[in-house]
PDB file of all heavy atoms in Angstrom:
ATOM      1  N   ALA A  20      -7.258  86.021 -17.513  1.00  0.00           N
ATOM      2  CA  ALA A  20      -6.917  86.882 -16.398  1.00  0.00           C
ATOM      3  C   ALA A  20      -5.580  87.628 -16.750  1.00  0.00           C
ATOM      4  O   ALA A  20      -5.177  88.490 -15.978  1.00  0.00           O
ATOM      5  CB  ALA A  20      -6.699  86.012 -15.183  1.00  0.00           C
ATOM      6  N   ARG A  21      -5.002  87.353 -17.894  1.00  0.00           N
ATOM      7  CA  ARG A  21      -3.796  88.152 -18.272  1.00  0.00           C
ATOM      8  C   ARG A  21      -3.747  88.317 -19.692  1.00  0.00           C
ATOM      9  O   ARG A  21      -4.521  87.698 -20.406  1.00  0.00           O
ATOM     10  CB  ARG A  21      -2.611  87.249 -17.821  1.00  0.00           C
ATOM     11  CG  ARG A  21      -2.535  85.831 -18.584  1.00  0.00           C
ATOM     12  CD  ARG A  21      -1.316  85.057 -18.051  1.00  0.00           C
ATOM     13  NE  ARG A  21      -1.459  83.661 -18.545  1.00  0.00           N
ATOM     14  CZ  ARG A  21      -1.069  83.333 -19.773  1.00  0.00           C
ATOM     15  NH1 ARG A  21      -0.627  84.086 -20.603  1.00  0.00           N
ATOM     16  NH2 ARG A  21      -1.207  81.990 -20.157  1.00  0.00           N
ATOM     17  N   THR A  22      -2.982  89.237 -20.096  1.00  0.00           N
ATOM     18  CA  THR A  22      -2.784  89.506 -21.453  1.00  0.00           C
ATOM     19  C   THR A  22      -1.376  89.065 -21.929  1.00  0.00           C
ATOM     20  O   THR A  22      -0.487  89.062 -21.051  1.00  0.00           O
ATOM     21  CB  THR A  22      -2.958  91.057 -21.847  1.00  0.00           C
ATOM     22  OG1 THR A  22      -1.977  91.730 -21.091  1.00  0.00           O
ATOM     23  CG2 THR A  22      -4.482  91.456 -21.637  1.00  0.00           C
ATOM     24  N   SER A  23      -1.156  88.747 -23.131  1.00  0.00           N
ATOM     25  CA  SER A  23       0.062  88.416 -23.644  1.00  0.00           C
ATOM     26  C   SER A  23       0.647  89.373 -24.675  1.00  0.00           C
ATOM     27  O   SER A  23      -0.070  89.738 -25.483  1.00  0.00           O
ATOM     28  CB  SER A  23      -0.028  86.961 -24.216  1.00  0.00           C
ATOM     29  OG  SER A  23       1.188  86.633 -24.819  1.00  0.00           O
ATOM     30  N   VAL A  24       1.829  89.786 -24.484  1.00  0.00           N
ATOM     31  CA  VAL A  24       2.512  90.716 -25.531  1.00  0.00           C
ATOM     32  C   VAL A  24       2.822  89.975 -26.757  1.00  0.00           C
ATOM     33  O   VAL A  24       2.642  90.592 -27.811  1.00  0.00           O
ATOM     34  CB  VAL A  24       3.708  91.398 -24.854  1.00  0.00           C
ATOM     35  CG1 VAL A  24       4.418  92.296 -25.835  1.00  0.00           C
ATOM     36  CG2 VAL A  24       3.315  92.213 -23.704  1.00  0.00           C
ATOM     37  N   GLU A  25       3.263  88.773 -26.600  1.00  0.00           N
ATOM     38  CA  GLU A  25       3.713  87.982 -27.751  1.00  0.00           C
ATOM     39  C   GLU A  25       2.593  87.584 -28.652  1.00  0.00           C
ATOM     40  O   GLU A  25       2.664  87.485 -29.868  1.00  0.00           O
ATOM     41  CB  GLU A  25       4.436  86.768 -27.324  1.00  0.00           C
ATOM     42  CG  GLU A  25       5.756  87.047 -26.619  1.00  0.00           C
ATOM     43  CD  GLU A  25       5.475  87.158 -25.102  1.00  0.00           C
ATOM     44  OE1 GLU A  25       4.505  86.614 -24.628  1.00  0.00           O
ATOM     45  OE2 GLU A  25       6.229  88.016 -24.411  1.00  0.00           O
ATOM     46  N   ALA A  26       1.428  87.227 -28.038  1.00  0.00           N
ATOM     47  CA  ALA A  26       0.310  86.649 -28.926  1.00  0.00           C
ATOM     48  C   ALA A  26      -0.953  87.008 -28.245  1.00  0.00           C
ATOM     49  O   ALA A  26      -1.052  87.132 -27.060  1.00  0.00           O
ATOM     50  CB  ALA A  26       0.473  85.151 -29.046  1.00  0.00           C
ATOM     51  N   VAL A  27      -1.917  87.144 -29.015  1.00  0.00           N
ATOM     52  CA  VAL A  27      -3.240  87.392 -28.557  1.00  0.00           C
ATOM     53  C   VAL A  27      -3.890  86.006 -28.224  1.00  0.00           C
ATOM     54  O   VAL A  27      -4.024  85.176 -29.095  1.00  0.00           O
ATOM     55  CB  VAL A  27      -4.156  88.157 -29.634  1.00  0.00           C
ATOM     56  CG1 VAL A  27      -5.526  88.415 -29.065  1.00  0.00           C
ATOM     57  CG2 VAL A  27      -3.471  89.368 -29.985  1.00  0.00           C
ATOM     58  N   SER A  28      -4.256  85.792 -27.016  1.00  0.00           N
ATOM     59  CA  SER A  28      -4.780  84.514 -26.599  1.00  0.00           C
ATOM     60  C   SER A  28      -6.256  84.492 -26.505  1.00  0.00           C
ATOM     61  O   SER A  28      -6.836  84.456 -25.339  1.00  0.00           O
ATOM     62  CB  SER A  28      -4.141  84.206 -25.252  1.00  0.00           C
ATOM     63  OG  SER A  28      -4.672  82.950 -24.699  1.00  0.00           O
ATOM     64  N   VAL A  29      -6.899  84.467 -27.620  1.00  0.00           N
ATOM     65  CA  VAL A  29      -8.331  84.458 -27.599  1.00  0.00           C
ATOM     66  C   VAL A  29      -8.915  83.653 -28.805  1.00  0.00           C
ATOM     67  O   VAL A  29      -8.501  83.864 -29.935  1.00  0.00           O
ATOM     68  CB  VAL A  29      -9.001  86.008 -27.716  1.00  0.00           C
ATOM     69  CG1 VAL A  29      -8.598  86.777 -26.478  1.00  0.00           C
ATOM     70  CG2 VAL A  29      -8.384  86.666 -28.919  1.00  0.00           C
ATOM     71  N   PRO A  30      -9.872  82.838 -28.484  1.00  0.00           N
ATOM     72  CA  PRO A  30     -10.649  82.133 -29.596  1.00  0.00           C
ATOM     73  C   PRO A  30     -11.467  83.222 -30.350  1.00  0.00           C
ATOM     74  O   PRO A  30     -12.148  83.921 -29.766  1.00  0.00           O
ATOM     75  CB  PRO A  30     -11.442  81.155 -28.934  1.00  0.00           C
ATOM     76  CG  PRO A  30     -10.802  80.888 -27.619  1.00  0.00           C
ATOM     77  CD  PRO A  30     -10.176  82.263 -27.260  1.00  0.00           C
ATOM     78  N   VAL A  31     -11.267  83.271 -31.668  1.00  0.00           N
ATOM     79  CA  VAL A  31     -12.114  84.144 -32.482  1.00  0.00           C
ATOM     80  C   VAL A  31     -13.475  83.899 -32.392  1.00  0.00           C
ATOM     81  O   VAL A  31     -14.305  84.938 -32.353  1.00  0.00           O
ATOM     82  CB  VAL A  31     -11.602  84.019 -33.901  1.00  0.00           C
ATOM     83  CG1 VAL A  31     -12.358  84.997 -34.808  1.00  0.00           C
ATOM     84  CG2 VAL A  31     -10.132  84.380 -33.959  1.00  0.00           C
TER      85      VAL A  31
END
Side-chain angles (χ1 to χ4, degrees):
R21 61 181 168 83
T22 57
S23 174
V24 176
E25 299 85 27
V27 182
S28 175
V29 292
V31 176

